[in-house]
Amino acid sequence: MTESQSNPAAESASGSASAFSEEQAIRDIAEVPAVEIISSAAVHLMSAAAVKCGLAEDTETERAADLTDLDEARKLITALAGLVTAGATEIGDHHARPLRDGLRSLQLAFREASAIPDAPGQGPGEKFTGPVR
């Protein structure tokens, strides 16, 4: 016999606690301004793209070069470019400028890391940002 079968009060209490946690999480996210959510998503994409471009620091157990995956980096940079381009008007120039700078840095890092250069305007995210030089 499981604990919930033998103790319906325990099941009810855990269900109430779970419902409370979910409601609290919903309230917490409702209080976060959209600019913070957009910026946070962009930073996560930037961080992942940087690692996939080989920009992570070497550790005692792993080399940054071993984590490089330019196919994945291309996808992340393109997603970041779409988010930054679409969100820029919503979050304002003050917040968008550093995101654009980070995006451009990643696009240049990708170009440098790639053995086969993309044609101008064909690099990751360039369909949203235009050619990066």
Side-chain angles (χ1 to χ4, degrees):
M1 193 177 267
T2 66
E3 184 178 317
S4 63
Q5 290 173 328
S6 64
N7 189 351
E11 182 179 318
S12 177
S14 72
S16 296
S18 176
F20 175 76
S21 296
E22 187 176 329
E23 288 175 19
Q24 184 63 40
I26 291 169
R27 266 191 243 116
D28 289 347
I29 213 118
E31 294 174 7
V32 179
V35 66
E36 288 184 32
I37 293 171
I38 293 167
S39 297
S40 178
V43 168
H44 285 290
L45 288 168
M46 277 186 196
S47 298
V51 169
K52 300 293 186 178
C53 282
L55 300 176
E57 289 188 28
D58 291 340
T59 65
E60 291 180 21
T61 59
E62 287 185 311
R63 294 177 345 123
D66 296 337
L67 303 174
T68 302
D69 184 339
L70 294 180
D71 183 51
E72 290 290 302
R74 178 182 295 278
K75 294 171 188 172
L76 292 164
I77 294 169
T78 299
L80 174 64
L83 176 63
V84 170
T85 302
T89 58
E90 303 300 324
I91 64 176
D93 192 56
H94 174 73
H95 295 285
R97 183 174 291 137
L99 297 178
R100 278 193 219 104
D101 291 345
L103 170 60
R104 183 175 183 279
S105 295
L106 285 169
Q107 288 171 310
L108 292 172
F110 181 92
R111 186 174 299 275
E112 188 175 307
S114 182
I116 303 169
D118 292 315
Q122 300 301 309
E126 290 183 352
K127 67 182 173 185
F128 298 110
T129 64
V132 175
R133 295 184 178 105

